[in-house]
């Protein structure tokens, strides 16, 4: 591999790390409170709000069921509003975040459902407020499940970031399309695929190790 191609790979990998890292953090920041609200406002939750829960659930499901390649194009006006451009690594963060947030919300909601209801009822009996129940019971008890959900989200974002290369989002996906596909260099495409596989395995392994440590506490 030439030094020029090696530099291209390093740059593309850095762009992928940037896209996945930033969109993952932003998606978690939006999805975590959304998931908590979905759990709290469920009909069996601490503060049932059936109408709010239904409307929020429909919005979350609508975004989750939209294929990412369509979402990329559909949110171009929003991307231009926030970033000023619809092309490039920074621009790809907007649709990646929008794809991650509802995904995280549902995973967080699922993790919170696994918390023993007896603990919640005991906290209520002792006069705990809703937010005390959230911070002192729900989140600590479901933390390992939430971390597992975030790991799945980051792994999914790696694949989404590669797809963003189809519209000039940068990263390894863009490198694979421009050189591997358009310039008929299969070895470049193969190298991109192998790097993505190793990257996903690393993220999954780190996430699984963290979940195991949290579960043993």
């Amino acid at each position: 591999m030439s030094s020029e191609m090696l530099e291209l790979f390093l740059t593309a990998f850095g762009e992928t790390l940037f896209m996945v890292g930033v969109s993952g953090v932003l998606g978690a920041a939006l999805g975590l409170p959304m998931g908590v609200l979905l759990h709290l406002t469920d009909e069996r939750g601490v503060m049932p709000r059936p109408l709010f829960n239904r409307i929020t659930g429909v919005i979350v499901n609508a975004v989750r069921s939209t294929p990412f390649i369509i979402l990329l194009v559909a949110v171009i006006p929003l991307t231009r509003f926030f970033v000023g451009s619809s092309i490039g690594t920074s621009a790809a963060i907007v649709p990646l975040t929008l794809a991650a947030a509802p995904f995280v919300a549902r995973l967080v909601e699922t993790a919170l459902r696994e918390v023993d209801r007896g603990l919640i009822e005991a906290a209520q009996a002792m006069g705990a407020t809703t937010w005390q129940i959230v911070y002192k019971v729900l989140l600590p008890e479901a933390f390992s499940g939430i971390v597992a959900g975030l790991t799945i989200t980051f792994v999914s974002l790696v694949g989404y970031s590669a797809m963003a290369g189809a519209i000039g989002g940068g990263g390894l996906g863009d490198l694979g399309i421009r050189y591997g596909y358009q310039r008929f260099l299969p070895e470049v495409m193969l190298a991109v695929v192998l790097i993505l596989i190793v990257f996903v395995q690393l993220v999954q392994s780190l996430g699984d190790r963290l979940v195991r440590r949290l579960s043993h506490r």
Side-chain angles (χ1 to χ4, degrees):
M1 184 181 293
S2 67
S3 59
E4 182 183 353
M5 188 58 70
L6 180 60
E7 187 176 342
L8 283 173
F9 268 99
L10 291 174
T11 302
F13 184 64
E15 290 173 346
T16 296
L17 279 177
F18 177 69
M19 284 190 288
V20 172
V22 174
S23 61
V25 170
L26 292 176
L30 293 172
L32 181 59
M34 199 185 306
V36 171
L37 278 175
L38 282 169
H39 177 72
L40 293 177
T41 57
D42 185 71
E43 58 183 15
R44 297 182 68 245
V46 176
M47 40 183 281
R49 300 287 189 278
L51 182 60
F52 173 85
N53 186 274
R54 206 169 296 121
I55 293 172
T56 306
V58 167
I59 295 171
V60 167
N61 290 337
V63 178
R64 284 183 64 207
S65 61
T66 304
F68 183 67
I69 195 69
I70 295 176
L71 185 66
L72 275 170
V73 178
V75 300
I76 282 177
L78 189 64
T79 302
R80 284 178 178 158
F81 175 78
F82 282 112
V83 183
S85 172
S86 60
I87 298 173
T89 305
S90 297
I93 289 173
V94 176
L96 285 170
T97 300
L98 290 176
F103 193 69
V104 171
R106 282 303 187 193
L107 291 172
V108 169
E109 182 189 16
T110 301
L112 294 176
R113 282 180 184 167
E114 299 300 316
V115 176
D116 186 354
R117 191 160 182 81
L119 293 173
I120 300 171
E121 291 172 353
Q124 288 175 316
M126 290 187 289
T129 65
T130 299
W131 295 114
Q132 285 176 328
I133 291 173
V134 170
Y135 289 116
K136 295 184 178 180
V137 179
L138 287 173
L139 292 180
E141 289 295 320
F143 193 54
S144 62
I146 291 172
V147 171
L150 290 176
T151 301
I152 295 171
T153 303
F154 275 93
V155 168
S156 298
L157 283 173
V158 174
Y160 288 162
S161 70
M163 208 181 301
I167 61 165
L172 289 168
D174 181 54
L175 182 66
I177 290 169
R178 282 192 296 116
Y179 286 85
Y181 177 70
Q182 295 176 349
R183 300 190 185 185
F184 304 103
L185 295 172
E187 64 275 12
V188 173
M189 185 68 78
L190 178 61
V192 167
V193 171
L194 290 175
I195 292 171
L196 288 173
I197 289 173
V198 172
F199 185 36
V200 165
Q201 290 294 327
L202 183 61
V203 172
Q204 188 67 59
S205 297
L206 290 173
D208 289 345
R209 184 175 298 179
L210 183 56
V211 169
R212 284 196 295 271
R213 285 189 178 182
L214 292 170
S215 299
H216 292 156
R217 289 183 179 180

